[in-house]
């Protein structure tokens, strides 16, 4: 088992990574006296819940469950309210522990429920998608969506532990797996050129769920994320780099009502738009832009946004993004400067942003 500690000023917590970990009671920071509410979705429940509850019962841990519908469109205030209602009806107090058992949607929803129920209770992240295992479950960002913007209502609230079971990747759809690869590729682009090279050389193994490749890649990304969160828990500084492609990607997700695009797919398009913007500004070299595009395509990710979404549609959603500087409405964008190096820019003219979006969305795959 790999153990990575997310070191924070207030409280540190472990990320545990291994195959088959969810059925090992020792991995769970739970005791028989704890009041525990596990929240999951219909897809994960049908695959794992019976066996998991049995293993809790064998360890004398009683767990209540809430099973929510599956999908980004359910990351909403009304679904959040369902969790609160059940917690109140069952007289859960401040000593309760919530378990977020699912992908990024469940993690964000349950994390926000834990952040706000009775002004804050503990929760455990048990990410089941690749995307949540390498990114969303780590670092305490919790939120629900608003029709006008993704993750607009939320809080920073750190879990007490993150339990990553690589076996869960075997029941993930291919499309969901590819979506997670987008966040993995993002780490290479913004932080680590050697890791990007490793991905170029090992992507085919990852695509076959090769355990050795996964056991290198997932902990490596968790460590990169952990380092960033340790240095900038509240997104004031280096953590902003993790948003490469997200301002564009969130626009796609909001525009399509959180219904048809997976998060990783949307940020894949966004990363190409950011790369092209950087290329137009004379920062990113053409060959680096080509390498990014090639790797995204090899990972079966889209690089062109929704057909009916115009550049000005992007811009109108992008100015709601949390990273906008509010007083002058200037967009703050993360742009890659080379493979392994990125920075934040806030003075890019709209016409450059718009033409990068337009050209990225043109039909041709070659740059
Ligand atoms: N997923 C981006 C962050 O945690 O900051």
């Amino acid at each position: 088992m790999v153990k990575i500690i997310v070191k924070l000023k207030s409280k540190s917590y472990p990320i545990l990574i291994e195959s088959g970990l969810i059925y090992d009671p020792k991995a769970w920071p739970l005791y028989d006296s704890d009041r525990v509410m596990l929240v999951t979705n219909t897809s994960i429940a049908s695959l794992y819940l019976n066996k998991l509850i049995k293993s809790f019962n064998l360890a004398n841990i009683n767990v209540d469950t809430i099973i929510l519908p599956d999908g980004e469109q359910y990351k909403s205030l009304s679904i959040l309210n369902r969790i609160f209602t059940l917690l109140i009806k069952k007289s859960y107090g401040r000593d309760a522990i919530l378990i977020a058992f699912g992908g990024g949607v469940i993690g964000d929803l349950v994390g926000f429920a834990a952040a706000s129920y009775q002004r804050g209770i503990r929760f455990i992240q048990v990410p089941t998608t690749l995307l949540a295992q390498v990114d969303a479950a780590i670092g305490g960002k919790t939120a629900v969506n608003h029709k006008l913007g993704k993750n607009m209502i939320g809080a920073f609230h750190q879990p007490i532990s993150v339990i990553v079971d690589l076996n869960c990747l075997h029941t993930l759809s291919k499309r969901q797996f590819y979506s997670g690869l987008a966040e993995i590729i993002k780490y290479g682009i913004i932080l680590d050129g050697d890791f990007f090279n490793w991905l170029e050389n090992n992507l085919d193994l990852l695509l076959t769920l090769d355990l050795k490749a996964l056991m290198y890649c997932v902990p490596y990304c968790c460590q990169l994320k952990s380092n960033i969160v340790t240095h900038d828990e509240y997104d004031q500084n280096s953590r902003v780099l993790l948003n490469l492609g997200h301002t564009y990607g969130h626009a796609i997700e909001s525009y399509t009502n959180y219904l048809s695009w997976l998060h990783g797919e949307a940020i894949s398009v966004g990363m190409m738009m950011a790369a092209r913007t950087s290329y137009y500004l004379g920062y990113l070299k053409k060959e680096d832009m080509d390498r990014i595009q090639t790797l995204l395509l090899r990972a079966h990710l889209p690089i062109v946004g929704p057909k009916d979404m115009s550049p000005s549609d992007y811009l109108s959603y992008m100015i709601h993004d949390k990273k906008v500087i509010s007083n002058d409405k200037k967009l703050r964008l993360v742009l890659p400067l080379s493979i392994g190096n990125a920075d934040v820019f806030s003075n890019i003219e709209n016409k450059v942003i718009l033409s990068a979006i337009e050209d990225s969305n043109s039909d041709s795959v070659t740059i």
Side-chain angles (χ1 to χ4, degrees):
M1 179 172 71
V2 175
K3 181 175 183 174
I4 292 164
I5 303 292
V6 183
K7 296 190 194 95
L8 297 173
K9 280 198 192 83
S10 49
K11 60 171 184 184
S12 299
Y13 59 91
I15 307 168
L16 307 178
I17 307 160
E18 180 64 283
S19 297
L21 204 53
I22 53 171
Y23 301 121
D24 177 0
K26 291 193 293 302
W28 295 86
L30 295 172
Y31 301 93
D32 52 9
S33 57
D34 284 328
R35 290 220 63 195
V36 185
M37 176 72 83
L38 182 149
V39 187
T40 190
N41 64 37
T42 45
S43 317
I44 296 295
S46 64
L47 292 165
Y48 297 103
L49 201 55
N50 284 346
K51 189 167 169 198
L52 188 59
I53 296 293
K54 269 190 205 137
S55 82
F56 278 137
N57 290 345
L58 284 173
N60 287 325
I61 295 162
N62 286 313
V63 181
D64 289 318
T65 54
I66 306 180
I67 302 175
L68 300 174
D70 187 6
E72 182 78 37
Q73 69 271 34
Y74 300 110
K75 207 173 97 177
S76 64
L77 279 173
S78 64
I79 294 285
L80 184 70
N81 202 33
R82 262 206 228 172
I83 302 176
F84 293 143
T85 303
L86 210 73
L87 290 171
I88 296 167
K89 276 191 177 158
K90 287 188 168 276
S91 307
Y92 270 71
R94 275 203 176 142
D95 55 347
I97 298 180
L98 301 187
I99 296 173
F101 184 36
V105 170
I106 288 289
D108 279 11
L109 253 176
V110 178
F112 189 40
S116 44
Y117 184 68
Q118 298 196 0
R119 300 198 177 87
I121 60 174
R122 293 168 294 167
F123 83 115
I124 301 169
Q125 285 276 20
V126 191
T128 55
T129 62
L130 182 63
L131 189 142
Q133 293 185 345
V134 297
D135 182 26
I138 305 161
K141 279 192 181 173
T142 75
V144 293
N145 298 328
H146 188 280
K147 201 172 163 11
L148 294 177
K150 176 145 168 146
N151 295 336
M152 277 295 154
I153 305 150
F156 285 94
H157 187 59
Q158 300 291 344
I160 57 170
S161 184
V162 182
I163 298 172
V164 175
D165 187 337
L166 295 178
N167 276 354
C168 294
L169 300 177
H170 289 276
T171 53
L172 202 58
S173 71
K174 282 203 159 88
R175 194 176 159 207
Q176 285 278 3
F177 188 81
Y178 304 150
S179 172
L181 289 174
E183 295 284 11
I184 290 175
I185 293 169
K186 178 193 77 180
Y187 286 120
I189 299 171
I190 59 171
L191 294 174
D192 194 327
D194 290 340
F195 181 57
F196 192 92
N197 293 342
W198 184 90
L199 287 170
E200 288 179 320
N201 294 328
N202 291 278
L203 186 75
D204 296 341
L205 285 174
L206 286 177
L207 288 168
T208 63
L209 298 186
D210 177 81
L211 188 57
K212 201 161 154 241
L214 283 172
M215 241 354 231
Y216 174 77
C217 180
V218 173
Y220 196 85
C221 293
C222 290
Q223 186 66 65
L224 288 175
K225 176 83 187 253
S226 168
N227 296 346
I228 291 254
V229 172
T230 296
H231 288 108
D232 181 20
E233 183 177 351
Y234 295 108
D235 223 355
Q236 300 297 307
N237 217 308
S238 53
R239 188 165 180 172
V240 176
L241 295 181
L242 295 175
N243 291 310
L244 173 69
H246 282 57
T247 306
Y248 306 89
H250 288 173
I252 293 174
E253 290 177 89
S254 306
Y255 179 81
T256 53
N257 293 318
Y258 311 106
L259 286 171
S260 42
W261 281 71
L262 296 180
H263 178 63
E265 295 170 340
I267 68 145
S268 172
V269 173
M271 288 194 289
M272 269 323 292
M273 289 174 173
R276 188 180 289 273
T277 305
S278 178
Y279 170 58
Y280 285 177
L281 291 169
Y283 299 124
L284 189 69
K285 286 200 214 115
K286 168 93 166 57
E287 61 257 38
D288 284 346
M289 185 166 71
D290 285 344
R291 282 177 71 196
I292 294 170
Q293 174 168 297
T294 302
L295 195 58
L296 292 171
L297 288 173
R298 280 181 59 205
H300 304 270
L301 286 159
I303 53 165
V304 172
K307 278 198 172 47
D308 61 339
M309 190 172 176
S310 70
S312 59
D313 289 332
Y314 280 84
L315 216 51
S316 63
Y317 281 96
M318 286 163 79
I319 56 166
H320 288 302
D321 192 88
K322 296 184 293 309
K323 282 134 333 252
V324 161
I325 300 167
S326 50
N327 45 1
D328 63 1
K329 288 265 193 285
K330 277 269 182 201
L331 277 174
R332 268 202 316 161
L333 284 177
V334 180
L335 300 183
L337 302 176
S338 60
I339 304 283
N341 185 19
D343 209 344
V344 182
F345 292 82
S346 45
N347 285 315
I348 308 166
E349 287 185 51
N350 279 357
K351 68 172 198 265
V352 180
I353 298 172
L354 287 166
S355 59
I357 292 171
E358 171 122 48
D359 296 347
S360 289
N361 273 338
S362 72
D363 279 342
S364 108
V365 166
T366 49
I367 301 170

